[in-house]
Each structure stands twice: as structure tokens, then as C-alpha cells.
């Protein structure tokens, strides 16, 4: 029986399909006691990218969230963070993120670095289970969604979670206007 339904997706509790979560994601959900409140759905890995997911499952941009890893330097010290915005927007890297990280310039972390440091696959990176000490900036609009579709740490699945539950995870900082509309 599905825990959540979102578009054409029916998610079961993560406790029923822990194999559909990357190890750091499973550990974070377990530690936060969210196994029964987090849904997971198996998908074709070719459908993992945001646009393909939206099209294949009839999802609007305000229920699909993207997580990107960014970094910047100040006084020789690298600062890394994750940014989570809805698919109908993009992270304001050049202003908001730069200010939050207190760096002169912020940019996306190269794919190989992002996957190796997170323990997650490209196309599946999620704010759940990121390395300790990383700030996770989440656009306030994400938290306001009844349900949000996120990466699961691996390409062949997605996580479905009430937006408000993201705020209970370690390192989460809610940021107004982190996302800039792309419409």
C-alpha cells in the first residue's frame, strides 16, 4: 500500500525498500526516525534527471526539488554547502549563496567531487545524508510543499517526503528566496 502518491508515482515507506536508498541517505533517515514517514519509489535510471522525471510522471516544477553542491573560498579556506530549490527555479549562487557562505565567488562543485564526497550518484544527490558540517540551504518554498520529490542518493529511485520534514534533518537552514524563478 502506498505511503504517498505524487503525480503518477506511488511511494512505499522507506522501511520496506531500504535497498532503494544510498547508504548515507538510509543512515540519515534512520537516525532521524523518519523511515516510516519517508516514501521511496523505484524509477528507470534514465528518468532520474529532473525534466525527464517531471515529464514521465506528470509532476509540476513546484513538487520536484533539486539539490546542488556549491563551494567557495575565503582566506584560503574552502566552504562547501548544498542548496535545495524547486525545479521551477534555480539556486541564487551569485548573490544569496555567496553571502551565506561568506565567500567572494561561489560555484558548482565538479560532478566527480560531488559524488565522491557525498557517497551519492550524480542525478540522485539529495540533502538527506550529506557530510557532517555542511550547511544545507533549503529554499523556504520547498518546506511549504505538502510533498516533495527528491533524489535518493542513487539514480534508480526517488524519495517522497513532506516538505516540512526536511527542516528536522541535521544541517538544514531555511532560506527565503534562495531560488530564482526560471519561468
Amino acid at each position: 500500500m502506498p505511503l504517498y502518491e505524487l503525480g503518477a508515482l506511488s511511494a512505499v515507506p522507506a522501511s520496506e525498500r531500504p535497498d532503494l536508498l544510498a547508504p548515507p541517505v538510509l543512515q540519515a533517515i534512520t537516525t532521524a526516525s523518519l523511515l516510516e514517514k519517508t516514501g521511496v519509489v523505484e524509477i528507470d535510471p534514465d528518468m532520474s534527471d529532473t525534466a525527464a522525471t517531471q515529464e514521465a510522471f506528470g509532476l509540476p516544477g513546484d513538487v520536484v526539488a533539486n539539490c546542488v553542491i556549491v563551494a567557495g573560498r575565503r582566506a584560503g579556506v574552502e566552504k562547501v554547502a548544498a542548496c535545495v530549490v524547486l525545479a521551477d527555479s534555480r539556486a541564487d549562487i551569485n548573490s544569496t549563496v555567496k553571502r551565506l557562505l561568506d565567500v567572494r565567488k561561489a560555484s558548482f562543485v565538479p560532478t566527480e567531487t560531488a559524488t565522491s564526497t557525498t557517497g551519492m550518484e550524480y542525478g540522485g544527490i539529495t540533502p538527506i545524508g550529506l557530510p557532517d558540517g555542511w550547511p544545507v540551504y533549503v529554499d523556504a518554498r520547498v518546506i511549504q510543499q505538502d510533498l516533495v520529490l527528491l533524489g535518493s542518493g542513487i539514480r534508480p529511485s526517488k524519495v517522497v517526503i513532506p516538505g516540512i520534514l526536511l527542516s528536522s534533518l541535521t544541517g538544514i537552514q531555511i532560506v527565503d528566496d534562495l531560488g530564482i524563478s526560471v519561468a
Side-chain angles (χ1 to χ4, degrees):
M1 177 169 205
L3 175 63
Y4 302 119
E5 293 189 6
L6 191 60
L9 296 171
S10 294
V12 298
S15 60
E16 292 181 18
R17 292 296 310 271
D19 59 302
L20 293 178
L21 300 170
V25 177
L26 178 59
Q27 180 179 350
I29 290 171
T30 302
T31 300
S33 299
L34 295 177
L35 273 173
E36 298 302 323
K37 295 178 182 176
T38 302
V40 65
V41 60
E42 189 169 10
I43 64 168
D44 180 332
D46 292 336
M47 298 294 145
S48 187
D49 295 328
T50 302
T53 299
Q54 286 180 260
E55 184 179 330
F57 301 106
L59 301 170
D62 65 352
V63 298
V64 178
N66 290 319
C67 180
V68 295
I69 309 300
V70 297
R73 288 192 171 278
R74 164 88 73 203
V77 176
E78 183 177 51
K79 298 179 179 185
V80 179
C83 298
V84 182
V85 296
L86 295 173
D88 64 2
S89 58
R90 63 177 174 80
D92 184 6
I93 303 294
N94 295 320
S95 180
T96 304
V97 175
K98 186 171 79 169
R99 180 178 40 79
L100 289 166
L101 281 176
D102 188 28
V103 295
R104 293 188 192 280
K105 180 184 176 193
S107 56
F108 296 106
V109 170
T111 302
E112 288 178 16
T113 303
T115 57
S116 66
T117 57
T118 63
M120 300 178 199
E121 296 176 3
Y122 179 74
I125 294 177
T126 184
I128 305 167
L130 291 171
D132 289 339
W134 282 15
V136 181
Y137 304 129
V138 179
D139 188 88
R141 290 181 54 224
V142 175
I143 301 301
Q144 295 166 359
Q145 300 305 311
D146 290 334
L147 292 173
V148 178
L149 185 75
L150 296 162
S152 64
I154 60 174
R155 289 185 66 85
S157 65
K158 294 287 182 186
V159 165
V160 179
I161 189 169
I164 194 68
L165 286 183
L166 284 176
S167 62
S168 68
L169 296 169
T170 303
I172 300 287
Q173 296 177 38
I174 310 305
V175 179
D176 289 327
D177 302 318
L178 177 64
I180 299 171
S181 177
V182 292

